[in-house]
C-alpha cells in the first residue's frame, strides 16, 4: 500500500506542476482583464459584440472555420503577419476577453481573420464569398456554404438582400438566392472582427 | 500579477519538496537497487527469458531457431 | 534463468510447467470480453475516422467534392417544377461540409480509435502486470459501452452543427460528460485493480499505464470546465486548450504507447529490457517535461512571454526522456533484429518506437522560435500530428493487438499475408503522408513568411499537389485498415487457425479456459 501511495504522489506532483503553471497562473495573471476605457473616443475597448454577431460566432464554430483561419496577429519579429496587412498591431490578451470560446486557431490554409472586418466590411461581398468563394476569390479552396442560403421564387419585387450573382452561380430566371438568419449572423460576426484599435499595452503606430 | 508569482513560488517549492520525497522514498524502497530482478519480473517458467513469444502464423520454428542461434552467437561476441 | 539470455532453444519449446502458464492463460481469459469490446469498437471508429479523413482531405484540393451529386429522393424536400429549375445538390446540406467532417475525423480517431485501443491495451497490461485476473470485467465492458455512446452522440452533434470548434474538445458538453463518466469508471477501476495486485515488483510499464489512467480524466475535466462550461478569459482558454491538447498526446497516448513498448519488446524477444534504470529516468522526465509543452502551440500568440518560454524550454528538455527511451529500446532489440522478420508484434512495435524518437525530436525542434516562425500555421504541423498519432502510437497499438487478440480468442491469426499487407500499406502510407505534409508545409511556411508572395495565386496553388499526395497516401492507409478489421473480425468469429503454426499462447487449453 505504501508503494502505491508514493507512486501516486509522484504522478500527482509532476502533473500539478504543469496544471499550476499553464492553467492556474495564467488565469490569475490575466484571467481578470477588463475592457479599457478610451477617454478620447469615449468607448470601451474591445467593443462588445451585438447579439447578431454573437450568434454569428456560433455559426463560425458550428462550421469549423477555425480549422483554416486563425484570429491572431503575431508581432513584427515573428512572421510576416503585419507585413501582409493582417493587422495594424500584434494582438494581445485583452483583445479576446469577449471570446467564448476562443478562435485563435492553429492553421492558415486561408488568411488570418483577426481584422477581417477592417479589410472587408461589405456585406454583399461576404455573402457572395460564402455562397460561391471562387466567384470573388479566384483560386480559393474554401468550401461553398450554400446551405446557409435559400433559393426562393421572386414574388413581387426582388428581396433587398438577394445575392448579386453572375454566371453559373446565378439562380434560374424568376428565382433569387437570399441569406438565412445564420448567414446574416455569420457575416455580422465577420464584419465585427476588427482589432485595430489602440490599447495601452498595444499602441497602433 | 503578484498572486501569479506567489502561486508559482509555492508550486515550485511544493513540487521540489514532493520530488525530493519521492526520490528519497524510491531509494529507500529499493527502487534503484535490484534493477535486474525488476526487468526480469515479466518472465516466468512458462515464458522464460530466451524464448520469443510471438511469430507470424506461417513461420517455420526450426528455421527461426537456426537463424536465432546464429544471431545469438554474433551478439554474444564481446 | 538469467544466463541464457541470448540462446533460443531449437525445435519446439519445452512443455512449460502448468502453474505459470495456466495462471497467465486464466488472466488473459478474464480480459476477453472487455478488451475485445474495446478493440472492436476502436476498429469501428478507425474505419469511420478514415472515411471522414479521406473526404476531408479530398475536399481540401477539390472543394466541390461530394457537393455535385444530387441528393437522394428521400432527402429532397422540394419537388415538382421548382426542383427542375433548381436541382438541389449535396451542397445544400450542412453536415457534409469540410469544417464538420474534419472535426468528425479528429474526434473519431482520437477518442473513438486511439483512446479505445489504448484503454483495451491498458486494461490487458494491468491484468498481466498485476498478475491477477481482471477484477469486475463487466464494469469495464459497461464503461466501454458508455464510452461508445458518448462518441456516437458527439460525432452526430458535430455533423449536426453543434461543434464547439475548440480543437480536441469539439464534442458539446453533454457528450463530453458521458465520455468523462465512462473514463472515470475506468480510472477508478484501475486504482482498484492496482490495489489488488499480487505482491512483487511493479514493472515500469505499470507505472506508465497507471499514470496515464490517472492523468487523463483530470485533463479532460479541467479543459471542459474551463473552456466550455465556465469559460475563463479568451486567451487563457487558448493556453488551457493547448495544455490539454498537447497533454492528450503527451500524458495519455505517449505513456500507453511507450509503456506497451516496454512490455512488448522484451516479452516478444524473450530478453529483459536493456537498462531498467534508464526506464525509470525516462518515465519521470517524461511526466515532468511533457506536461509543460502545450504553450509551444501559441508562439507569437497573445500570451505573456513567460508562459511561452517555459513551454519552449520544456519542449527542448523532452530530448532527455526521448533519447533515454530510444537507447533503451534499441539496446534491447540489438542482436535480435532478425525477429522483425518473424514477429508481427515486434515489427509494428519497433516501427512505432523508432517513430517515437523521430517525431519527438522533430517536435522539440518545432518549438524553437526561429523554426516555429516558418512551420507554425502550416501543413507541417498536421504532418507532425500524424507522425505522432499514427506512425508512433497507432502502429504500437496495431502491434499490441496482434499479440493480445490470439491470446483472448484462443486461435491464431488466419493469414500471414494479410498481416504483411497491413504492415506495408500502413508503413508506406504514413511515410508518404508525413513526407507530403512536411515538405508541403515547409514550402507553404517559407512562402507565407515572404509578404510579397500572393496568398491565393501563389501559396495555395503550390501546396495543392502536396494535398493530393496526402489524399493518395490516405487511400493506402485505408486499405490496411480494412484488411486489419477483416482479419480481426475473423478472429472474433473464431475463424482463426487452430492447428499448425506456432502456438505460443494458451498452452494448457482445457485446463485454463472457463
Amino acid at each position: 500500500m505504501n508503494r502505491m501511495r508514493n507512486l501516486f504522489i509522484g504522478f500527482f506532483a509532476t502533473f500539478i506542476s504543469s496544471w499550476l503553471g499553464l492553467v492556474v497562473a495564467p488565469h490569475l495573471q490575466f484571467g481578470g482583464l477588463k475592457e479599457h476605457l478610451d477617454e478620447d473616443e469615449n468607448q470601451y475597448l474591445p467593443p462588445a459584440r451585438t447579439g447578431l454577431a454573437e450568434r454569428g460566432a456560433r455559426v463560425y464554430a458550428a462550421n469549423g472555420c477555425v480549422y483554416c483561419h486563425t484570429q491572431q496577429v503575431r508581432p513584427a519579429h515573428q512572421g510576416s503577419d503585419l507585413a501582409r496587412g493582417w493587422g495594424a498591431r500584434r494582438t494581445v490578451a485583452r483583445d479576446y476577453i469577449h471570446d467564448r470560446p476562443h478562435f485563435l486557431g492553429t492553421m492558415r490554409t486561408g488568411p488570418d481573420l483577426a481584422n477581417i472586418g477592417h479589410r472587408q466590411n461589405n456585406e454583399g461581398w461576404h455573402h457572395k464569398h460564402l455562397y460561391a468563394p471562387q466567384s470573388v476569390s479566384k483560386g480559393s479552396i474554401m468550401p461553398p456554404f450554400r446551405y446557409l442560403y435559400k433559393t426562393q421564387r421572386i414574388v413581387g419585387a426582388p428581396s433587398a438582400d438577394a445575392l448579386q450573382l453572375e454566371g453559373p452561380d446565378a439562380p434560374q430566371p424568376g428565382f433569387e438566392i437570399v441569406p438565412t438568419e445564420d448567414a446574416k449572423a455569420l457575416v455580422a460576426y465577420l464584419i465585427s472582427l476588427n482589432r485595430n484599435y489602440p490599447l495601452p499595452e498595444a499602441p497602433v503606430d | 500579477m503578484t498572486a501569479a508569482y506567489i502561486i508559482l513560488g509555492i508550486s515550485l517549492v511544493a513540487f521540489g519538496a514532493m520530488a525530493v520525497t519521492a526520490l528519497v522514498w524510491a531509494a529507500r524502497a529499493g527502487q534503484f537497487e535490484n534493477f535486474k530482478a525488476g526487468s526480469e519480473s515479466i518472465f516466468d517458467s512458462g515464458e522464460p527469458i530466451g524464448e520469443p513469444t510471438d511469430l507470424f502464423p506461417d513461420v517455420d520454428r526450426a528455421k527461426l531457431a537456426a537463424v536465432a542461434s546464429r544471431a545469438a552467437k554474433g551478439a554474444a561476441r564481446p | 534463468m538469467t544466463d541464457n539470455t541470448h540462446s533460443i532453444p531449437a525445435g519446439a519449446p519445452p512443455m512449460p510447467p502448468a502453474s505459470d502458464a495456466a495462471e497467465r492463460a486464466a488472466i488473459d481469459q478474464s480480459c476477453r470480453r472487455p478488451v475485445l469490446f474495446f478493440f472492436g469498437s476502436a476498429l469501428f471508429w478507425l474505419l469511420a475516422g478514415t472515411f471522414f479523413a479521406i473526404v476531408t482531405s479530398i475536399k481540401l484540393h477539390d472543394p466541390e467534392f461530394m457537393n455535385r451529386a444530387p441528393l437522394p429522393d428521400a432527402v429532397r424536400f422540394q419537388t415538382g417544377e421548382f426542383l427542375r429549375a433548381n436541382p438541389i445538390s449535396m451542397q445544400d446540406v450542412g453536415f457534409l461540409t469540410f469544417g464538420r467532417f474534419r472535426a468528425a475525423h479528429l474526434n473519431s480517431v482520437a477518442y473513438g480509435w486511439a483512446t479505445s485501443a489504448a484503454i483495451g491495451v491498458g486494461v490487458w497490461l494491468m491484468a498481466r502486470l498485476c498478475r491477477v485476473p481482471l477484477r469486475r470485467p463487466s464494469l469495464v465492458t459497461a464503461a466501454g459501452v458508455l464510452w461508445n455512446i458518448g462518441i456516437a452522440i458527439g460525432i452526430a452533434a458535430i455533423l449536426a452543427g453543434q461543434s464547439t470548434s475548440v480543437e480536441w474538445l469539439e464534442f458539446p458538453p453533454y457528450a463530453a460528460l458521458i465520455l468523462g463518466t465512462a473514463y472515470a469508471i475506468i480510472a477508478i477501476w484501475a486504482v482498484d485493480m492496482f490495489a489488488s495486485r499480487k505482491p512483487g515488483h511493479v514493472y515500469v510499464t505499470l507505472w506508465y499505464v497507471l499514470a496515464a489512467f490517472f492523468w487523463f480524466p483530470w485533463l479532460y475535466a479541467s479543459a471542459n470546465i474551463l473552456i466550455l462550461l465556465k469559460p475563463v478569459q479568451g486567451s487563457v482558454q487558448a493556453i488551457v486548450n493547448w495544455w490539454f491538447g498537447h497533454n492528450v498526446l503527451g500524458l495519455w497516448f505517449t505513456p500507453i504507447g511507450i509503456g506497451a513498448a516496454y512490455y512488448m519488446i522484451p516479452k516478444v524477444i524473450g530478453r529483459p529490457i536493456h537498462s531498467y534504470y534508464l526506464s525509470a529516468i525516462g518515465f519521470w522526465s517524461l511526466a515532468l517535461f511533457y506536461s509543460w509543452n502545450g504553450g509551444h502551440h501559441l508562439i507569437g500568440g497573445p500570451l505573456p512571454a513567460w508562459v511561452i518560454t517555459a513551454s519552449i524550454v520544456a519542449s527542448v528538455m523532452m530530448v532527455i526522456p526521448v533519447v533515454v527511451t530510444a537507447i533503451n529500446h534499441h539496446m534491447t532489440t540489438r542482436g535480435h533484429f532478425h525477429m522483425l522478420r518473424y514477429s508481427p508484434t515486434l515489427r509494428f512495435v519497433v516501427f512505432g518506437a523508432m517513430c517515437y524518437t523521430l517525431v519527438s525530436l522533430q517536435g522539440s525542434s518545432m518549438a524553437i522560435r526561429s523554426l516555429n516562425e516558418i512551420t507554425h500555421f502550416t501543413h507541417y504541423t498536421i504532418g507532425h500530428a500524424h507522425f505522432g498519432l499514427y506512425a508512433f502510437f497507432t502502429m504500437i497499438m496495431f502491434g499490441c493487438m496482434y499479440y493480445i487478440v490470439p491470446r483472448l480468442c484462443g486461435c491464431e491469426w488466419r493469414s500471414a499475408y494479410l498481416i504483411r499487407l497491413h504492415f506495408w500499406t500502413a508503413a508506406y502510407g504514413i511515410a508518404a503522408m508525413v513526407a507530403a505534409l512536411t515538405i508541403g508545409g515547409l514550402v507553404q511556411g517559407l512562402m507565407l513568411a515572404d509578404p510579397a508572395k500572393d496568398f491565393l495565386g501563389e501559396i495555395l496553388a503550390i501546396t495543392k499537389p502536396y494535398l493530393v499526395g496526402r489524399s493518395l497516401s490516405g487511400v493506402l492507409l485505408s486499405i490496411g485498415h480494412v484488411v486489419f478489421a477483416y482479419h480481426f473480425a475473423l478472429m472474433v468469429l473464431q475463424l482463426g487457425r487452430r492447428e499448425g503454426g506456432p502456438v505460443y499462447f494458451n498452452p494448457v487449453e482445457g485446463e485454463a479456459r472457463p
Side-chain angles (χ1 to χ4, degrees):
Chain A
M1 219 38 208
N2 185 34
R3 177 173 293 176
M4 182 170 173
R5 198 191 65 211
N6 285 295
L7 210 52
F8 272 101
I9 289 176
F11 298 162
F12 183 79
T14 45
F15 189 76
I16 202 157
S17 81
S18 82
W19 190 74
L20 289 172
L22 293 186
V23 176
V24 177
H27 177 62
L28 290 174
Q29 189 183 348
F30 54 102
L33 273 177
K34 295 274 181 289
E35 287 126 322
H36 164 67
L37 175 61
D38 185 339
E39 311 225 315
D40 299 338
E41 303 283 330
N42 196 28
Q43 64 165 338
Y44 284 100
L45 299 172
R49 280 197 201 108
T50 63
L52 189 63
E54 199 52 55
R55 177 174 163 186
R58 304 264 70 74
V59 182
Y60 190 91
N63 296 292
C65 307
V66 74
Y67 299 115
C68 292
H69 297 283
T70 54
Q71 285 189 28
Q72 49 177 315
V73 180
R74 291 182 289 174
H77 56 82
Q78 193 83 16
S80 68
D81 304 13
L82 293 173
R84 282 188 176 275
W86 283 343
R89 58 168 175 84
R90 72 167 296 179
T91 51
V92 293
R94 202 197 298 267
D95 290 321
Y96 301 91
I97 58 176
H98 298 310
D99 288 14
R100 283 181 178 39
H102 78 97
F103 297 126
L104 255 60
T106 49
M107 185 72 191
R108 284 179 178 164
T109 305
D112 184 83
L113 299 183
N115 296 296
I116 183 65
H118 177 80
R119 293 203 295 281
Q120 181 57 267
N121 61 6
N122 182 318
E123 286 182 25
W125 184 91
H126 278 295
H127 282 304
K128 270 164 89 170
H129 184 237
L130 287 168
Y131 184 84
Q134 280 92 340
S135 69
V136 285
S137 310
K138 204 168 159 33
S140 169
I141 55 170
M142 187 168 108
F145 293 93
R146 275 184 55 175
Y147 57 90
L148 295 178
Y149 294 83
K150 57 176 185 276
T151 306
Q152 62 187 28
R153 191 189 294 276
I154 301 175
V155 182
S159 308
D161 54 5
L163 271 59
Q164 304 301 313
L165 295 157
E166 293 126 35
D169 303 313
Q172 300 288 315
F175 292 88
E176 62 180 1
I177 293 162
V178 293
T180 59
E181 284 307 305
D182 277 354
K184 287 180 193 164
L186 181 57
V187 169
Y189 173 69
L190 290 172
I191 289 176
S192 82
L193 292 176
N194 184 351
R195 296 170 168 115
N196 276 343
Y197 46 78
L199 287 175
E201 66 272 33
V204 176
D205 24 56
Chain B
M1 193 63 203
T2 339
Y5 285 121
I6 292 172
I7 198 150
L8 267 183
I10 293 174
S11 71
L12 280 177
V13 172
F15 173 69
M18 281 192 277
V20 169
T21 318
L23 205 68
V24 168
W25 159 76
R28 281 207 190 133
Q31 286 280 319
F32 295 134
E33 297 148 26
N34 218 354
F35 283 121
K36 197 169 157 58
S39 65
E40 287 169 2
S41 66
I42 56 171
F43 301 96
D44 57 31
S45 61
E47 292 184 349
I49 293 173
E51 196 176 297
T53 58
D54 180 66
L55 290 176
F56 274 104
D58 62 349
V59 170
D60 177 350
R61 205 184 295 164
K63 199 179 108 200
L64 171 68
V67 176
S69 70
R70 273 205 304 280
K73 271 180 212 133
R77 229 173 278 135
Chain C
M1 183 165 168
T2 56
D3 54 359
N4 63 343
T5 315
H6 297 294
S7 66
I8 293 174
M15 199 56 196
S19 60
D20 285 342
E23 197 181 291
R24 192 171 35 252
I27 289 172
D28 285 348
Q29 279 309 309
S30 72
C31 296
R32 181 183 167 126
R33 196 180 291 261
V35 171
L36 284 180
F37 179 79
F38 270 105
F39 284 177
S41 58
L43 283 170
F44 170 79
W45 290 113
L46 179 67
L47 294 179
T50 310
F51 167 71
F52 292 133
I54 295 270
V55 174
T56 308
S57 178
I58 295 176
K59 274 173 181 275
L60 257 189
H61 51 81
D62 180 7
E64 296 289 338
F65 179 67
M66 281 189 48
N67 281 350
R68 300 185 193 93
L71 283 178
D73 281 347
V75 191
R76 295 182 188 201
F77 44 86
Q78 291 159 309
T79 49
E81 178 212 342
F82 184 86
L83 188 69
R84 278 193 295 280
N86 298 276
I88 295 170
S89 74
M90 306 218 348
Q91 36 180 315
D92 292 310
V93 288
F95 70 89
L96 289 166
T97 198
F98 169 86
R100 298 189 193 174
F101 257 49
R102 188 198 182 282
H105 159 60
L106 185 137
N107 285 280
S108 337
V109 294
Y111 299 112
W113 152 249
T115 299
S116 304
I119 295 176
V121 169
V123 163
W124 180 81
L125 284 170
M126 291 256 340
R128 273 255 174 141
L129 293 169
C130 292
R131 295 184 209 88
V132 285
L134 209 62
R135 285 169 66 85
R136 305 174 216 287
S138 49
L139 184 71
V140 180
T141 314
V145 172
L146 199 57
W147 180 257
N148 278 281
I149 292 174
I151 290 169
I153 291 179
I155 300 283
I158 286 173
L159 294 178
Q162 297 198 18
S163 161
T164 65
S165 262
V166 178
E167 287 184 75
W168 291 86
L169 291 166
E170 284 92 344
F171 287 160
Y174 50 82
L177 191 67
I178 302 176
L179 290 185
T181 310
Y183 202 101
I185 296 174
I186 296 284
I188 293 167
W189 167 88
V191 173
D192 178 46
M193 187 75 192
F194 187 70
S196 60
R197 72 191 186 279
K198 261 199 188 154
H201 187 84
V202 178
Y203 188 66
V204 64
T205 297
L206 200 46
W207 299 14
Y208 280 98
V209 173
L210 198 61
F213 277 143
F214 172 74
W215 286 327
F216 185 79
W218 187 352
L219 274 170
Y220 196 66
S222 269
N224 269 296
I225 290 169
L226 295 176
I227 302 178
L228 300 174
L229 294 177
K230 205 176 170 307
V232 291
Q233 193 261 106
S235 51
V236 180
Q237 288 173 32
I239 184 70
V240 176
N241 189 178
W242 287 110
W243 168 79
F244 170 78
H246 208 91
N247 280 347
V248 173
L249 203 73
L251 296 185
W252 168 231
F253 294 133
T254 299
I256 296 281
I258 293 298
Y262 266 120
Y263 183 77
M264 286 302 179
I265 294 178
K267 192 73 182 161
V268 169
I269 295 179
R271 178 193 201 184
I273 198 79
H274 169 71
S275 165
Y276 201 68
Y277 174 68
L278 283 182
S279 67
I281 293 183
F283 175 79
W284 291 110
S285 52
L286 176 105
L288 181 56
F289 296 133
Y290 224 144
S291 60
W292 276 82
N293 269 9
H296 70 212
H297 288 266
L298 294 163
I299 296 175
L303 286 156
W306 71 264
V307 178
I308 307 294
T309 306
S311 283
I312 294 175
V313 171
S315 306
V316 174
M317 295 297 273
M318 271 302 290
V319 169
I320 298 173
V322 168
V323 168
V324 161
T325 305
I327 292 175
N328 220 354
H329 286 164
H330 179 81
M331 294 303 285
T332 308
T333 321
R334 212 180 71 149
H336 293 74
F337 280 101
H338 65 276
M339 279 296 291
L340 295 179
R341 282 187 59 198
Y342 301 110
S343 161
T345 299
L346 198 67
R347 191 185 278 195
F348 277 95
V349 172
V350 167
F351 183 97
M354 284 175 167
C355 288
Y356 170 68
T357 311
L358 297 176
V359 74
S360 303
L361 295 177
Q362 185 197 27
S364 294
S365 73
M366 284 165 73
I368 297 166
R369 281 179 198 271
S370 50
L371 184 59
N372 182 275
E373 188 180 338
I374 304 298
T375 61
H376 200 19
F377 304 133
T378 70
H379 297 295
Y380 191 93
T381 314
I382 311 291
H384 175 67
H386 284 87
F387 201 174
L389 209 56
Y390 199 100
F392 154 50
F393 184 73
T394 293
M395 290 300 262
I396 288 190
M397 289 300 107
F398 284 148
C400 293
M401 287 181 176
Y402 277 116
Y403 193 86
I404 298 169
V405 172
R407 287 165 173 78
L408 303 189
C409 293
C411 49
E412 179 59 285
W413 292 99
R414 181 94 222 146
S415 157
Y417 171 76
L418 289 183
I419 300 177
R420 293 194 174 97
L421 183 64
H422 177 206
F423 178 78
W424 291 113
T425 49
Y428 279 120
I430 194 61
M433 180 177 290
V434 171
L437 290 172
T438 303
I439 300 167
L442 274 179
V443 172
Q444 183 193 11
L446 288 168
M447 290 180 82
L448 272 171
D450 177 0
K453 295 272 189 262
D454 177 48
F455 201 96
L456 281 174
E458 294 182 80
I459 302 179
L460 272 184
I462 210 162
T463 48
K464 257 193 183 181
Y466 298 102
L467 299 178
V468 175
R470 188 244 305 261
S471 297
L472 293 176
S473 64
V475 172
L476 213 49
L477 294 181
S478 318
I479 294 172
H481 297 164
V482 172
V483 164
F484 183 50
Y486 166 73
H487 216 175
F488 175 82
L490 289 184
M491 295 294 280
V492 173
L493 296 172
Q494 298 289 309
L495 294 172
R497 291 184 191 215
R498 296 209 166 266
E499 68 291 310
V503 183
Y504 275 115
F505 51 90
N506 223 1
V508 275
E509 184 123 344
E511 188 183 332
R513 295 187 66 184

